[in-house]
């Protein structure tokens, strides 16, 4: 809810700034405002899709490792419960210590995995976001746009102000240029 409120406040502030600038600009200067659908870009831009696939693979591997550790603990616990009446006090204590150690290890693994997952997500997605922002700025400048908003923060806009396809086209051109070994378009 707070995130939604923050987005609304940012939208209102952004529109207020745009309106103030429009009112203070000379009548002959026309402001040009556009918007992009970042969700669409990220769903259709292959490097981001690939990054998400790599992230899912990484996350799934950590989950698999956690499940394996959890199964070992369950088996040890079942063995202990089945045998505890027959075990000597020393053997019981040894098995209990082993279980406690493994439980502490799995808790540590779980905590570290959370940090690793966040780090991996940032490592994979940050370069893509940077590339999208560079291209979005290039498209905005080339189109003479004064402002470009994220479609998620715009309550209403005419389709003619949507530059999402232009940004996707430029991103894909850059991607093709990189594949061919030539420099990206400036």
């Amino acid at each position: 809810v707070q995130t939604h409120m923050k987005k609304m406040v940012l939208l209102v502030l952004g529109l207020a700034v745009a309106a103030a600038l429009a009112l203070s600009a000379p009548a002959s200067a026309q402001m040009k405002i556009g918007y992009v659908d970042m969700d669409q870009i990220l769903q259709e831009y292959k490097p981001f899709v690939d990054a998400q696939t790599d992230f899912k693979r990484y996350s799934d591997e950590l989950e698999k490792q956690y499940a394996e550790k959890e199964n070992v603990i369950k088996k040890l616990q079942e063995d202990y419960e089945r045998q505890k009446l027959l075990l000597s006090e020393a053997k019981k204590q040894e098995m209990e210590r082993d279980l406690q150690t493994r439980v502490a290890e799995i808790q540590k693994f779980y905590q570290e995995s959370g940090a690793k997952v966040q780090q991996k997500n940032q490592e994979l997605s940050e370069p893509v976001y940077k590339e999208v922002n560079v291209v979005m700025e290039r498209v905005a400048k080339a189109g003479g746009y004064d402002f470009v908003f994220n479609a998620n923060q715009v309550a209403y806009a005419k389709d003619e102000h949507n530059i999402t396809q232009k940004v996707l086209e430029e991103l894909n051109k850059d991607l093709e240029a990189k594949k061919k070994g030539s420099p990206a378009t400036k």
Side-chain angles (χ1 to χ4, degrees):
V1 174
Q2 285 184 347
T3 304
H4 180 66
M5 288 299 291
K6 286 180 184 176
K7 285 183 180 179
M8 289 302 293
V9 168
L10 289 173
L11 172 64
V12 170
L13 287 175
L15 293 175
V17 167
L21 290 172
L23 292 174
S24 66
S28 63
Q30 194 73 343
M31 288 193 65
K32 192 168 180 184
I33 297 174
Y35 67 94
V36 293
D37 184 344
M38 286 301 291
D39 292 338
Q40 179 184 350
I41 289 172
L42 296 177
Q43 288 171 2
E44 295 180 24
Y45 186 45
K46 185 168 175 14
F48 189 77
V49 173
D50 292 346
Q52 290 304 299
T53 301
D54 290 348
F55 173 74
K56 175 129 177 55
R57 193 175 304 126
Y58 180 79
S59 179
D60 288 349
E61 179 58 33
L62 288 177
E63 285 179 27
K64 179 182 168 193
Q65 290 175 21
Y66 181 83
E68 288 170 358
K69 291 176 184 300
E70 194 175 45
N71 287 337
V72 168
I73 290 173
K74 284 179 185 176
K75 182 171 179 352
L76 286 173
Q77 200 163 16
E78 289 170 0
D79 290 348
Y80 173 75
E81 290 298 324
R82 237 186 2 260
Q83 298 173 13
K84 74 178 177 182
L85 294 175
L86 304 173
L87 297 173
S88 67
E89 196 59 37
K91 187 65 177 168
K92 275 191 212 178
Q93 288 177 357
E94 179 186 329
M95 288 181 82
E96 288 170 0
R97 276 193 304 272
D98 187 30
L99 275 168
Q100 288 172 352
T101 300
R102 289 179 186 264
V103 167
E105 287 172 359
I106 199 170
Q107 288 172 341
K108 182 179 178 187
F109 179 84
Y110 181 78
Q111 290 171 344
E112 289 174 351
S113 293
K116 286 179 181 179
V117 163
Q118 284 181 322
Q119 181 180 354
K120 188 68 166 181
N121 188 35
Q122 184 176 353
E123 173 188 311
L124 291 169
S125 62
E126 192 172 305
V128 178
Y129 282 117
K130 283 182 181 176
E131 179 67 21
V132 168
N133 286 333
V134 165
V135 170
M136 190 173 7
E137 183 178 336
R138 189 172 74 218
V139 168
K141 285 179 179 177
Y145 289 90
D146 297 298
F147 294 93
V148 174
F149 291 98
N150 186 334
N152 294 335
Q153 298 173 343
V154 176
Y156 171 78
K158 292 180 180 178
D159 283 342
E160 67 194 54
H161 300 294
N162 186 349
I163 64 169
T164 304
Q165 275 314 120
K166 291 177 188 173
V167 172
L168 276 168
E169 288 168 12
E170 286 297 311
L171 284 165
N172 288 326
K173 281 182 192 175
D174 285 1
L175 200 56
E176 282 302 313
K178 286 177 187 174
K179 283 181 186 176
K180 292 177 181 175
S182 61
T185 338
K186 294 289 175 205

